Amino acid sequence: MNKRKVAYIWEQDLIQFSDRLPAVLGRASMVHSLITAYGLLNHIKVIRSQSASYSELKLFHSELYLDHLKSFTHIEDDYVITAKDEKFGLGYDCPPYSDMYNSISSIAGGSLTAAKCLVMNMADIAINWCGGWHHAHKNGAEGFCYVNDIVIAIEKLRTKFSKILYIDLDVHHGNGVQDAYNLSKSVFTLSFHKYEPGFYPGSGKIEDIGRLNGKGYACNIPFHALYSDDTFVNAFDSVFTMVYSSFLPDAIVVQCGADALARDSHGGAGLTLDGYCLCIKEVLNVMKPTLLLGGGGYNHANAARLWTSITALVVDQKLDDNIPEHSFWTQYGTLYRYLNHNEEDFKEPIKKRRKIELHDDNSHEAKRDSILKEQLVLRNVQNEKASLIMNFDNKLTNPNDVYDFID
């Protein structure tokens, strides 16, 4: 595995725009910082990401949606959602924010750059942990996802690879990607997710197998709440083997959403790092061009651990169990517990689409605690931003370490 060419997609704007996504404020910096702290970038070719162009975004999204996003240059705190915003899925779990078009262009560009690395044979495995937003649809945002970078990347891969296997490990069903290819025989979508009444997005039952020409080219493996490594790995081992041997893909895309890890606030599953890594190892063992993407993951420390562990697996490096000292070191371990008054609050998942109600004192306290936690994250990001940029630039702007992508 260590002889394969590996590309890690990075760019400071990509990190900063990803840090501003409302659902995962500051997460991208935390992930990249941990990967850097472990020295994993010494074993990877770092490729500077390019933002997606308007025409590249149109590989999936409609002009009407993209043009509406361009209107959000600056959003005031008291901005009121309009009917037109709601038409494009903006509001509730996808609130508008400033400079949205440039943000989604950068995020989609990360996955598109990774796909180009595989198409041009610059890499056998390409990694973009800032990508993996699988709920967005052609005409709008949904489920924390403003752009479907996955579909855009797959469309680029299809210029070289005839058959693409898409695997979704997120706790939520990858409805946006499946819907995009429900009629297709060239892209097989395989999703492992939690499926229970009331759990977002409500799709992905075992009977969903594609439609018309695409019938039989979608496979959904729904699990009950708190599914474990044993259940997950056993199902993955048997289903992936059958799908792979029948479909025989030319390339593979894996969405490694971290919200199926135990104790994720939007999850409700019970996986560990080992469960994910065993499945990723099985994918890598078939030796096909592979694109690895992020996705959900709302316990930022656990998401960073997972994606750092997968990165280490890809480059055949063993990680020390002790987290190296770095900018976000204090956010690992037991500190997070002490910041929460009631640890029991995190045993039940929060719904993705939600409205905050303030009908009683308990709801008011919950909102207050949520705001305090968000402020803690934001304060840490703001305090660390200057040193993070300096550290990243020192490590990654050397031309021998970072490669500018030339299309």
Side-chain angles (χ1 to χ4, degrees), residues 151-190:
V151 174
I152 293 170
I154 289 175
E155 287 304 293
K156 183 61 181 179
L157 291 174
R158 292 177 70 190
T159 62
K160 178 178 181 179
F161 304 107
S162 299
K163 295 194 292 184
I164 313 293
L165 171 58
Y166 170 71
I167 304 172
D168 196 308
L169 306 182
D170 199 281
V171 75
H172 302 94
H173 175 238
N175 60 330
V177 182
Q178 178 177 301
D179 289 349
Y181 295 110
N182 234 356
L183 305 178
S184 174
K185 290 184 176 181
S186 61
V187 179
F188 192 111
T189 59
L190 172 60

Side-chain angles (χ1 to χ4, degrees), residues 286-352:
V286 301
M287 302 293 285
K288 290 292 182 180
T290 302
L291 173 56
L292 298 176
L293 302 172
Y298 308 97
N299 180 319
H300 296 182
N302 283 347
R305 287 187 182 100
L306 173 62
W307 296 335
T308 300
S309 297
I310 295 174
T311 305
L313 173 67
V314 169
V315 296
D316 199 23
Q317 296 295 306
K318 183 173 176 58
L319 298 180
D320 193 311
D321 290 338
N322 296 315
I323 301 291
E325 288 193 29
H326 64 292
S327 300
F328 294 92
W329 182 69
T330 57
Q331 294 193 35
Y332 296 90
T334 59
L335 178 61
Y336 187 73
R337 294 183 182 181
Y338 297 133
L339 293 176
N340 294 291
H341 300 294
N342 184 4
E343 193 174 355
E344 295 296 316
D345 292 342
F346 293 87
K347 289 190 176 179
E348 291 297 326
I350 303 169
K351 291 183 179 179
K352 273 197 170 185

Side-chain angles (χ1 to χ4, degrees), residues 2 60 66 81 91 101 105 232 254 258 284 302 321:
N2 60 339
F60 180 57
L66 296 175
I81 302 296
Y101 179 79
S105 296
F232 179 64
V254 189
L284 297 178
N302 283 347
D321 290 338

Side-chain angles (χ1 to χ4, degrees), residues 6 343 361:
V6 182
E343 193 174 355
D361 291 338

Side-chain angles (χ1 to χ4, degrees), residues 83-370:
K84 188 174 183 180
D85 295 338
E86 291 182 339
K87 175 185 175 182
F88 292 112
L90 300 175
Y92 295 135
D93 51 359
C94 293
Y97 61 96
S98 299
D99 205 13
M100 285 184 67
Y101 179 79
N102 286 331
S103 174
I104 67 113
S105 296
S106 178
I107 292 166
S111 297
L112 191 58
T113 301
K116 290 177 181 178
C117 289
L118 298 178
V119 168
M120 299 180 70
N121 199 31
M122 296 171 59
D124 303 307
I125 303 168
I127 300 171
N128 176 33
W129 297 131
C130 293
W133 302 103
H134 59 171
H135 296 308
H137 289 273
K138 181 182 181 68
N139 293 309
E142 183 183 317
F144 300 160
C145 303
Y146 297 88
V147 62
N148 201 314
D149 62 290
I150 303 171
V151 174
I152 293 170
I154 289 175
E155 287 304 293
K156 183 61 181 179
L157 291 174
R158 292 177 70 190
T159 62
K160 178 178 181 179
F161 304 107
S162 299
K163 295 194 292 184
I164 313 293
L165 171 58
Y166 170 71
I167 304 172
D168 196 308
L169 306 182
D170 199 281
V171 75
H172 302 94
H173 175 238
N175 60 330
V177 182
Q178 178 177 301
D179 289 349
Y181 295 110
N182 234 356
L183 305 178
S184 174
K185 290 184 176 181
S186 61
V187 179
F188 192 111
T189 59
L190 172 60
S191 182
F192 300 82
H193 52 269
K194 176 181 166 183
Y195 180 79
E196 291 197 335
F199 189 71
Y200 179 88
S203 56
K205 59 186 178 182
I206 200 165
E207 292 85 2
D208 291 343
I209 59 172
R211 297 171 52 210
L212 301 178
N213 288 340
K215 188 174 183 179
Y217 289 84
C219 179
N220 288 288
I221 308 299
F223 296 116
H224 292 301
L226 300 177
Y227 58 92
S228 66
D229 282 354
D230 286 344
T231 300
F232 179 64
V233 173
N234 285 338
F236 186 92
D237 181 59
S238 58
V239 175
F240 170 72
T241 300
M242 287 189 289
V243 168
Y244 180 83
S245 59
S246 298
F247 184 61
L248 296 176
D250 302 302
I252 301 175
V253 177
V254 189
Q255 196 266 22
C256 306
D259 47 7
L261 287 170
R263 303 189 61 76
D264 190 282
S265 58
H266 292 283
L271 300 189
T272 70
L273 306 183
D274 290 341
Y276 276 92
C277 287
L278 285 170
C279 295
I280 296 298
K281 186 174 183 179
E282 190 165 349
V283 172
L284 297 178
N285 282 343
V286 301
M287 302 293 285
K288 290 292 182 180
T290 302
L291 173 56
L292 298 176
L293 302 172
Y298 308 97
N299 180 319
H300 296 182
N302 283 347
R305 287 187 182 100
L306 173 62
W307 296 335
T308 300
S309 297
I310 295 174
T311 305
L313 173 67
V314 169
V315 296
D316 199 23
Q317 296 295 306
K318 183 173 176 58
L319 298 180
D320 193 311
D321 290 338
N322 296 315
I323 301 291
E325 288 193 29
H326 64 292
S327 300
F328 294 92
W329 182 69
T330 57
Q331 294 193 35
Y332 296 90
T334 59
L335 178 61
Y336 187 73
R337 294 183 182 181
Y338 297 133
L339 293 176
N340 294 291
H341 300 294
N342 184 4
E343 193 174 355
E344 295 296 316
D345 292 342
F346 293 87
K347 289 190 176 179
E348 291 297 326
I350 303 169
K351 291 183 179 179
K352 273 197 170 185
R353 180 171 288 275
R354 64 204 186 283
K355 296 181 182 178
I356 298 174
E357 298 182 3
L358 300 178
H359 297 316
D360 54 48
D361 291 338
N362 290 333
S363 295
H364 178 75
E365 290 175 3
K367 182 181 180 184
R368 180 201 63 197
D369 290 346
S370 176

